[in-house]
């Protein structure tokens, strides 16, 4: 089993329960880790034999562009698409962080972490 990480994907979008968040938007950071059998691609040196991290990045960008009230809802959509579209992925973890959340204090970020395993 191998691990592919795509870290610190930075986005500006408008998630949150508050109306102001929908209008103003916020900065977000997403970290992604997937586990897959990378034995074949390590030998073949061919892109179709591995998990394409460009595809992973595109899934994150597309799902983060769809407004949600809760970060865990966005994270679940990201995980669902990974398992739907990338058959080599056996396990995945996504971390969605809201930078400087509007929670009445000096908080750098709030992070939601979801993990899942392929169900056969």
């Amino acid at each position: 089993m191998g691990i592919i990480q795509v870290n610190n994907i930075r986005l500006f979008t408008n998630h949150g329960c508050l109306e102001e968040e929908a209008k103003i938007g916020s900065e977000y950071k997403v970290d992604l880790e997937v586990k897959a059998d990378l034995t074949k691609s390590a030998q073949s040196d061919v892109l179709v034999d591995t998990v394409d991290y460009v595809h992973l990045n595109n899934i994150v960008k597309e799902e983060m562009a769809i407004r949600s009230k809760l970060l865990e809802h966005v994270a679940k959509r990201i995980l669902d698409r990974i398992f739907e579209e990338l058959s080599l992925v056996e396990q995945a973890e996504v971390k969605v962080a809201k930078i400087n959340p509007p929670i009445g204090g000096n908080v750098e970020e709030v992070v939601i972490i979801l993990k899942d395993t392929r169900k056969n």
Side-chain angles (χ1 to χ4, degrees):
M1 193 67 67
I3 297 172
I4 296 175
Q5 295 179 328
V6 183
N7 293 323
N8 204 20
I9 303 168
R10 297 265 194 185
L11 306 126
F12 189 88
T13 190
N14 59 348
H15 303 299
C17 293
L18 303 174
E19 255 332 286
E20 302 85 57
E21 292 174 299
K23 294 175 185 172
I24 298 169
S26 298
E27 287 186 71
Y28 294 83
K29 177 180 77 167
V30 178
D31 294 326
L32 190 59
E33 178 176 293
V34 299
K35 294 183 180 178
D37 184 353
L38 303 178
T39 307
K40 185 175 181 181
S41 61
Q43 292 294 321
S44 72
D45 196 28
V46 176
L47 183 60
V48 296
D49 292 338
T50 194
V51 177
D52 184 354
Y53 50 79
V54 173
H55 193 157
L56 291 170
N57 186 55
N58 286 336
I59 289 171
V60 169
K61 290 191 310 186
E62 290 168 11
E63 292 304 322
M64 287 294 290
I66 301 168
R67 177 164 162 67
S68 290
K69 293 178 184 172
L70 302 177
L71 297 181
E72 46 268 58
H73 187 257
V74 180
K76 175 75 167 97
R77 288 199 323 261
I78 292 168
L79 286 175
D80 289 347
R81 281 206 43 206
I82 288 169
F83 288 115
E84 286 171 19
E85 297 177 20
L86 299 164
S87 62
L88 285 177
V89 174
E90 291 299 323
Q91 297 177 344
E93 176 181 287
V94 63
K95 299 176 185 177
V96 180
K98 181 181 275 192
I99 311 299
N100 298 317
I103 59 175
N106 187 10
V107 177
E108 181 178 339
E109 65 184 13
V110 173
V111 182
I112 298 297
I113 302 170
L114 289 183
K115 301 177 185 181
D116 205 355
T117 301
R118 180 173 297 283
K119 294 154 184 71
N120 292 330

